[in-house]
Amino acid sequence: MAGRGTPATALLVKRGVGHSVHPYDVSPDTPNYGAEVATALGVPADRVFKTLVTEVDGTLTVAVVPVTGELDLKALAGAAGGKRAVLTDRALAERATGYVRGGISPLGQRRRLPTVLDASALGFPTIYVSAGRRGLQLQLAPAGLVALTGATTAPIATP
C-alpha cells in the first residue's frame, strides 16, 4: 500500500519538487501519535508537522504545525487575516481535502485552501508532512511546501 502514489506525491512529481517518501507503522490510535511517527522515522519530533483543517471567520484554512506543539488558534486567526479560528469538524475536513483524518496532507487537496505554516519550519532544511495516507510521510524543503500551497508563514504553534 505504501508504494502507491497519492494526490500529494503526484503534485510533487508533476511540479518537479524534490522530496522523499517515508513509510512508517504506527497505530492511528496511539497516544501522542506525532511523536511516535517521528520515532518510527528516526527523526527529531520538531521536524514532523501535522496538518489541521480549521475555519477562520468561516473560511476553511489549513494550519501546519509541529507535532511537538499545539495550534494557537488566536495566532492562526491573526496570521490568516481573521478574528476567530476554530478546528473544523472531522467530516468537513475529510470532504474538503479528500483525505482521511490521520492522513490529511497539506498538498494535493481537492481544492486549494488558504494555508499557514508555522514559522519554525523555516529553521530546518527539510520537514516531514503527511503524504496523504496514514503510514506515509513526505520529506521536503519548507520552501517547496510554501511554493505549492501558497502558504504564509507565521508563529502559530505553542510548545
Side-chain angles (χ1 to χ4, degrees):
M1 185 165 177
R4 290 193 338 237
T6 67
T9 59
L11 177 64
L12 289 163
V13 169
K14 179 180 177 184
R15 298 284 179 87
V17 174
H19 68 284
S20 56
V21 179
H22 301 271
Y24 63 91
D25 186 21
V26 174
S27 170
D29 299 323
T30 300
N32 205 359
Y33 180 77
E36 291 300 319
V37 169
T39 299
L41 295 173
V43 299
D46 57 352
R47 287 184 59 197
V48 178
F49 284 68
K50 56 188 169 185
T51 304
L52 303 171
V53 181
T54 68
E55 292 180 59
V56 176
D57 295 345
T59 299
L60 289 178
T61 303
V62 173
V64 184
V65 297
V67 299
T68 55
E70 296 294 323
L71 174 61
D72 179 336
L73 290 167
K74 187 172 184 166
L76 172 65
K83 294 184 187 292
R84 183 172 181 268
V86 296
L87 288 173
T88 196
D89 170 77
R90 173 184 173 172
L92 178 58
E94 291 178 348
R95 271 194 318 274
T97 64
Y99 295 119
V100 297
R101 185 177 69 85
I104 294 178
S105 178
L107 298 164
Q109 297 176 356
R110 280 196 177 130
R111 61 185 168 117
R112 189 166 154 178
L113 300 173
T115 302
V116 181
L117 173 63
D118 185 68
S120 68
L122 302 177
F124 300 107
T126 61
I127 60 171
Y128 295 78
V129 297
S130 176
R133 182 181 321 132
R134 292 180 189 144
L136 203 59
Q137 289 278 306
L138 292 170
Q139 179 183 7
L140 75 161
L145 181 61
V146 168
L148 289 176
T149 60
T152 57
T153 58
I156 59 168
T158 59

